[in-house]
Every structure is written in C-alpha cells, then in structure tokens.
C-alpha cells in the first residue's frame, strides 16, 4: 500500500474518532468481522447507470439513474426517457425544449455515452458488482447494522425502498467512510479481470481501466436474492435497497410471481405458497428452500472507477444486445405531441 493510501486511511480513522459516533463504530466492527468471515470476493460482472455533473448544483458527479442495469443501452434508453419527459413536462421555454429534444434525438440514433444539455453533462457510467464469500464460496448475508425500512411490510403491492444510489456523490476520497472502506478501496485500486473465463479483450480493457481510472468509489450496498446452481450462486431477482426489500421480493416471487410467470399447476402453486409463508414467518431469514431449490439473501457491493475527467464509461468489450431506437412520440418545440404512423 503506497503512502497516499496510508494517509487516506489514517485520515478516515481520525475522522471516525473525531465524530465519536457509536453507530459508526459498530458498523466498523461489523466490517472488520466480515473481512475475517468472508475474505474472498465473488465477481458478478459489470453494471451500468447514469450520472450527471450540473454546475448549477455543484462540481461533483452525482448518480441520476441507479447503477444496476446489465447493459449500457438500457441506461441510454433511461436517459432518453428522462430528457424527453423534461422537455414535455418541465419547461415552457421553446429554446430549452429544443436543446433537450436534440439530445433525445442523438440518444435515439447513436450509442453515445455522454450528452451535454443546458450546461449539464449526462454520462453513462460503468461499475462492477461483487459479493464477499468464504472459503466454501458461501456469499455474505446482510449484516446486523445494514439499514432496514422504517416500516417493514410484506405487502407485494407496497413500494420498495428508494434506491440509495439516487443523488449519490461520486467521490473517490470521501471523509465519511471508515478505515475498512478505505482499505477496501485501496485493495481494489489495481483490480482487473483475470483468468481464462474472461475473453482477452475483456482482460485488456480491464487492465487499461485500472490505469486510466485509478480512483475507486464504493457505491451504496444493495441486497440480492441468489439461487444455488451446480456452478455456484446465480442472481434470481433484481437488486434491492435493504435486506427486508430483498426478503419481500423473494416472498412475492415464491408466492405469486413465479407461479404466474411459469404457469405452475395447482399442486406446485401450493408447494411454493407454503414455502413462501414459512419464509415470511421467520421474519429475518436469509435462506428459503423449495423442491430442492435453495435461495439466499446476500449482500452485494459495487465499485465504480473515476479518472481525471470523472466516472468511467462503458468499455469497448461491454455487451449490448440491442441498439438505440426511437422510444417516444415526436415532441415539437411548442410542446405539441405528434404520434407517428
């Protein structure tokens, strides 16, 4: 570890002492224990989101769309929609609307990773998703200090907790992190994909990124549902903001979503419904079993790289299954909608 990283970790420790925050010390103790119990890392792969740098708010890059999508084009489409609705609903100025729609037009035709609109820069950003694991490849479950919703509900129709990514500042040198987070950032600074499971182009892109974007941002922790397969643990549901939201997503999937999606017969529906209710009755369980299948709630971390010009964009080797397209009706400068044939 070089002197710069040692200095940063010492500064984080001094800040923790200065704050005299008992809750922060407990979280730090949890992090230390996790590093012992789950010393390994299981790489999930790239995730993508949208960040914005708006001088009207400040010089920092902030997350606009959560960094959870599996392909860059999904984020381009999300940005396309965001700017289109801003043009439709948030301004009566034809010049502003024209500028927003010009960016929408570009996003509808080209797989661009950045557009500048009304003085703000919008960028498709890339992160890597990983979980900690033990020597048996068991993934780390939620920690006692991980945040939970103020009101815990199992109602599948209730809204899930908002993403902690929203408006998150992409700062590679935060003063609020503890020493363990600082040590993790230091350890990940030179991280690059290795091994023959990754194509050569993917490995080369990863090595270049470690040099061009050496700063590490740890995004807020999320929580997932994984299923045990013969080759390891595979994601079963979308990432959630809290452990309870992940448990509720699994409860809903067992009892309602999967039986409907896969058209279970009545007997199989009853088996899954029983498993769902048994899981719910335990309140804070991190594992559910049904018909030989094993599901677990796991803690998911994400890193994002920063360079001199801000957050890393998608790499040439990152995969897109589809390209840009027109998503919304034509919107004229005066706000008139034109529905194309």
């Amino acid at each position: 570890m070089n002197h710069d990283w040692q200095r940063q970790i010492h500064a984080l420790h001094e800040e923790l002492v200065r704050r005299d925050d008992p809750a922060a010390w407990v979280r730090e103790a949890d992090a230390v224990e996790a590093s012992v119990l789950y010393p390994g890392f299981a790489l999930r792969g790239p995730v993508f989101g949208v960040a914005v740098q708006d001088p009207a708010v400040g010089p920092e890059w902030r997350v606009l769309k959560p960094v959870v999508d599996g392909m860059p084009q999904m984020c381009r489409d999300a940005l396309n929609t965001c700017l289109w609705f801003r043009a439709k609903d948030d301004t009566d100025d034809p010049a502003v609307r024209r500028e927003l729609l010009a960016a929408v037009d570009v996003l509808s035709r080209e797989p661009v990773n950045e557009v500048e609109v009304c003085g703000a820069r919008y960028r498709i950003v890339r992160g890597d998703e990983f979980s900690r694991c033990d020597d048996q490849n068991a993934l780390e479950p939620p920690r006692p200090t991980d945040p939970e919703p103020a009101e815990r509900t199992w109602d599948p129709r209730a809204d899930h907790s908002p993403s902690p990514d929203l408006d998150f500042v992409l700062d590679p040198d935060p003063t609020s992190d503890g020493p363990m987070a600082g040590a993790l950032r230091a350890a990940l600074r030179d991280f690059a994909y290795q091994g023959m499971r990754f194509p050569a182009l993917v490995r080369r892109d990863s090595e270049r990124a470690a040099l061009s974007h050496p700063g590490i941002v740890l995004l807020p922790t999320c929580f997932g549902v994984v299923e045990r397969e013969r080759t390891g643990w595979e994601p079963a549901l979308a990432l959630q903001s809290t452990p309870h939201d992940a448990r509720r997503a699994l409860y809903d999937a067992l009892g309602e979503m999967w039986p409907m999606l896969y058209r279970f017969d009545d007997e199989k529906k009853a088996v899954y419904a029983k498993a769902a209710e048994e899981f719910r009755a335990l309140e804070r369980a991190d594992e559910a079993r049904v018909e030989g299948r094993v599901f677990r709630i796991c803690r998911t971390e994400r890193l994002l790289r920063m360079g001199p010009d801000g957050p890393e964009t998608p790499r040439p080797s990152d995969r897109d299954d589809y390209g840009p397209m027109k998503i919304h009706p034509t919107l004229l400068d005066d706000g008139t909608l034109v529905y194309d044939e």
Side-chain angles (χ1 to χ4, degrees), residues 40-45 129-133 137 139 197 301:
F41 293 93
L43 179 65
R44 172 73 180 92
E129 179 183 321
F130 64 95
S131 294
R132 296 170 185 265
C133 60
N137 291 322
L139 303 182
R197 59 174 288 210
E301 301 184 65

Side-chain angles (χ1 to χ4, degrees), residues 252-271:
D252 178 45
L254 291 168
E256 293 189 25
M257 186 178 74
W258 289 337
M260 178 179 63
L261 183 64
Y262 299 115
R263 299 181 180 181
F264 290 173
D265 59 30
D266 289 344
E267 182 179 355
K268 192 165 186 173
K269 282 181 182 177
V271 171

